[in-house]
Structure formats: structure tokens, C-alpha cells
Amino acid sequence: MLTAIRETGEEVGLELHTDNLLGRLDDVIATAHGREVDLVVSPFVFSLPSPQPLVLSSEVVSAHFFSLSILASGSVDSELELAHELGVSTLPAWDIEGRQVWGLTHRMVSSLLARVRLSSDSSGPPP
């Protein structure tokens, strides 16, 4: 978790604090060219008590905010065809205003959406 806090500060300038940790998602194994690689990402979810400006490092090309409800609605669901040395893979994606969200980001946010759905389903009134 401390690595996530430090890296988020270094890469996009957001100051995260342990007091705002909402939880940890399942580890995600990275893939490249259609194969798993020796990289595991452990995503953490934090709340931001107030808006903060993004300050991108030289390693970040762009960063964007978007509504999780739009992703959950299915209205921006898409697919991305990715050619690699093993052939072509069709990957799930979201198309948000012409920007494709796919790969690790798509997998991590999908995991978050699944958790939120499960949480809201289980918090409703009993049948």
C-alpha cells in the first residue's frame, strides 16, 4: 500500500493517505503480446476527500477522470483488436470520448465495479 501511495504521488501528483484507503482489489497479472509476464499489480482504492489537480510526471502521457456509473451502464463497452506475435487478441475495452481503456486498467476497474455491484446487491433488503 505504501508503494501505491508513493507512486501515485510521483506519477500524477495525488496525495493519498492511509486514512482514505477503501480497500485492496485482487492482484492482476500483467500480459504482453498475448502472454503473462512476471509482473503482478496489487491495486488499492482510495477516496479523495477533496478535488486535487493532477501533476503528471514525464512517465505519464495523459490522465483522465470519468464516471464509474458510465462504465457500469455498459454504454461505452467496446472491444480492441491487438495484433501480437501469437496472432490477434480481441480484448474488452471501454471507448470514452474516443479514448480506449483496456488491458490492466480495464481489468482493475472491472474488478472494482464487480466489488461495488456485489456490495450493493448484498446491502439491499432481504428477499
Side-chain angles (χ1 to χ4, degrees), residues 63-127:
H64 308 275
F65 289 98
F66 50 86
S67 167
L68 292 178
S69 62
I70 290 172
L71 302 181
S73 75
S75 66
V76 293
D77 287 357
S78 181
E79 291 182 334
L80 177 72
E81 287 194 359
L82 185 64
H84 49 80
E85 59 202 30
L86 299 177
V88 176
S89 295
T90 301
L91 305 173
W94 293 301
D95 186 327
I96 305 170
E97 299 174 359
R99 298 183 194 286
Q100 294 288 318
V101 178
W102 59 283
L104 275 172
T105 302
H106 187 278
R107 291 166 51 204
M108 288 184 286
V109 175
S110 291
S111 175
L112 173 61
L113 290 173
R115 290 266 180 106
V116 170
R117 281 187 202 112
L118 287 176
S119 175
S120 64
D121 289 348
S122 62
S123 66

Side-chain angles (χ1 to χ4, degrees), residues 5-118:
I5 291 172
R6 184 190 74 244
E7 287 293 317
T8 300
E10 289 175 4
E11 301 301 336
V12 296
L14 289 178
E15 291 185 30
L16 302 177
H17 302 280
T18 56
D19 294 350
N20 301 105
L21 175 66
L22 297 177
R24 182 176 186 273
L25 300 175
D26 294 336
D27 288 346
V28 180
I29 299 171
T31 59
H33 308 289
R35 297 186 186 132
E36 288 185 356
V37 296
D38 190 23
L39 175 68
V40 177
V41 178
S42 300
F44 292 85
V45 180
F46 291 82
S47 65
L48 290 176
S50 60
Q52 296 180 32
L54 298 178
V55 180
L56 305 184
S57 76
S58 61
E59 295 181 30
V60 177
V61 174
S62 65
H64 308 275
F65 289 98
F66 50 86
S67 167
L68 292 178
S69 62
I70 290 172
L71 302 181
S73 75
S75 66
V76 293
D77 287 357
S78 181
E79 291 182 334
L80 177 72
E81 287 194 359
L82 185 64
H84 49 80
E85 59 202 30
L86 299 177
V88 176
S89 295
T90 301
L91 305 173
W94 293 301
D95 186 327
I96 305 170
E97 299 174 359
R99 298 183 194 286
Q100 294 288 318
V101 178
W102 59 283
L104 275 172
T105 302
H106 187 278
R107 291 166 51 204
M108 288 184 286
V109 175
S110 291
S111 175
L112 173 61
L113 290 173
R115 290 266 180 106
V116 170
R117 281 187 202 112
L118 287 176

